[in-house]
Amino acid sequence: MARIAGVNIPTNKRVVIALQYIHGIGQAHARQIVDKVGIEDARRVNQLSDAEVLQIRETIDRDFTVEGDLRRDTAVNIKRLMDLACYRGLRHRKGLPVRGQRTHTNARTRKGPAKPIAGKKK
């Protein structure tokens, strides 16, 4: 099992697919990495040599922000919005949808399970 950026990537999958298990690397970035290192699309992770895995690891470390650093950056950005008390920050603080979605109905993912209100039945 290859370990890249602190993540054990699956060995029996193609390299482009396996790289997407790393937080911060999607389909486009995975293709960029594979092209930069010079690995064919059909190769699987268990067919890679140690040198190729090392090249992939170095490319990711040099060119991309992934895993813990990316999560930390995102958390800092959200905290900054909350400290500014701007509209988006207030929505984050209250646990409501941030991007303009309706909340009268729906929004259950952000708001959590429905809480019954006493005396509401008609």
Side-chain angles (χ1 to χ4, degrees), residues 16-107:
V16 176
I17 304 300
L19 285 175
Q20 294 176 39
Y21 280 71
I22 300 170
H23 180 74
I25 295 181
Q27 198 169 15
H29 282 177
R31 289 222 181 272
Q32 272 182 3
I33 292 165
V34 168
D35 291 342
K36 211 176 270 188
V37 175
I39 298 171
E40 309 87 53
D41 283 348
R43 298 268 304 272
R44 302 203 177 255
V45 175
N46 56 11
Q47 298 170 343
L48 294 177
S49 66
D50 289 338
E52 289 170 327
V53 172
L54 187 63
Q55 276 184 313
I56 292 172
R57 195 176 295 135
E58 288 171 351
T59 304
I60 290 172
D61 288 342
R62 185 180 59 241
D63 299 337
F64 300 101
T65 306
V66 292
E67 281 300 322
D69 294 336
L70 181 61
R71 291 180 205 272
R72 195 173 314 106
D73 287 349
T74 306
V76 166
N77 288 337
I78 291 171
K79 186 173 180 347
R80 180 181 54 82
L81 290 171
M82 287 166 46
D83 290 343
L84 284 173
C86 64
Y87 183 77
R88 282 173 56 202
L90 295 175
R91 303 297 282 185
H92 273 293
R93 196 181 298 163
K94 292 178 182 176
L96 293 169
V98 178
R99 297 187 176 182
Q101 297 92 332
R102 67 180 290 132
T103 57
H104 179 70
T105 59
N106 301 336

